[in-house]
Amino acid sequence: MAGLRSLRSTWIAYGATALAVIAFNAGTAYDTYGSWPERSAADRAGFVRAGIPLQEAFMANAAMVIMLALGAIGAVAISGEYSTGTIRTRFAAVPARRSVMAAKTVVVTAVTTVFGAIVAGTSFGLTAILDGRDAGVSISYPGALRVVVASARLAPVCTVAGTAIGSVIRQTSASMIASVVVILVLPIAFTDGGH
């Protein structure tokens, strides 16, 4: 937790990431709300049935922002202590390195799980603007809760991946670059979208 508390930039990164993700998602819902009268009757009728309100609550661009930012935050949570040398003091106080790293990972995971839940819940809640056009969905809509939970879990998964990379590489900039490659580039390369 000390690595998170001591770096003000970490909390600024969390705040900026939350604002960016929520802005992407809410902005898309607001655009849909504004352009709704211009849509055809067939388009309006199929909007909810096609699950588009859920897509607008969790846009691909927003997911990319969260993946990049939280992978980097996870990498910095570990590599930052290596670059400043505070990790040596920590290991001198607690020689059980695995226990230290496990505790650090648990704390980072807990913080980002709460972060992910807040961001996903807020994004979903702000798409309630579509209710004014009878195009919104509630949390009880089939699949809605699953999408919200999956979106919330993206945050800790990316952070833990970044933390693991940071603990192996131990150099901040290289860890951040490697987290981008592992979290974003490799999945694209190994899916059909990369061909």
Side-chain angles (χ1 to χ4, degrees):
M1 185 65 173
L4 290 175
R5 275 196 318 250
S6 61
L7 295 174
R8 187 174 27 169
S9 61
T10 301
W11 297 109
I12 292 169
Y14 275 122
T17 302
L19 288 175
V21 169
I22 292 167
F24 270 122
N25 296 328
T28 303
Y30 181 77
D31 285 347
T32 298
Y33 180 88
S35 65
W36 191 256
E38 301 163 16
R39 292 176 179 258
S40 68
D43 189 21
R44 289 185 200 179
F47 188 81
V48 173
R49 195 170 46 249
I52 298 173
L54 289 175
Q55 292 174 14
E56 292 194 357
F58 308 104
M59 298 297 298
N61 288 340
M64 189 176 300
V65 167
I66 215 164
M67 290 167 70
L68 292 173
L70 293 185
I73 288 171
V76 169
I78 295 291
S79 63
E81 286 198 54
Y82 279 101
S83 65
T84 61
T86 56
I87 197 76
R88 286 191 293 275
T89 306
R90 189 173 311 283
F91 286 150
V94 183
R97 292 178 179 227
R98 288 184 183 169
S99 297
V100 169
M101 297 308 260
K104 211 164 178 34
T105 303
V106 166
V107 169
V108 168
T109 302
V111 168
T112 54
T113 298
V114 171
F115 172 85
I118 291 168
V119 170
T122 303
S123 291
F124 183 77
L126 289 174
T127 60
I129 189 174
L130 296 174
D131 291 343
R133 302 291 193 195
D134 293 324
V137 295
S138 70
I139 198 70
S140 61
Y141 184 79
L145 181 60
R146 186 181 60 200
V147 171
V148 173
V149 170
S151 297
R153 292 174 77 187
L154 183 62
V157 167
C158 292
T159 306
V160 168
T163 302
I165 292 165
S167 67
V168 171
I169 296 178
R170 301 178 181 177
Q171 203 277 331
T172 304
S173 58
S175 296
M176 291 172 72
I177 291 168
S179 72
V180 169
V181 170
V182 170
I183 294 169
L184 196 64
V185 176
L186 289 180
I188 292 170
F190 288 111
T191 59
D192 290 338
H195 297 299

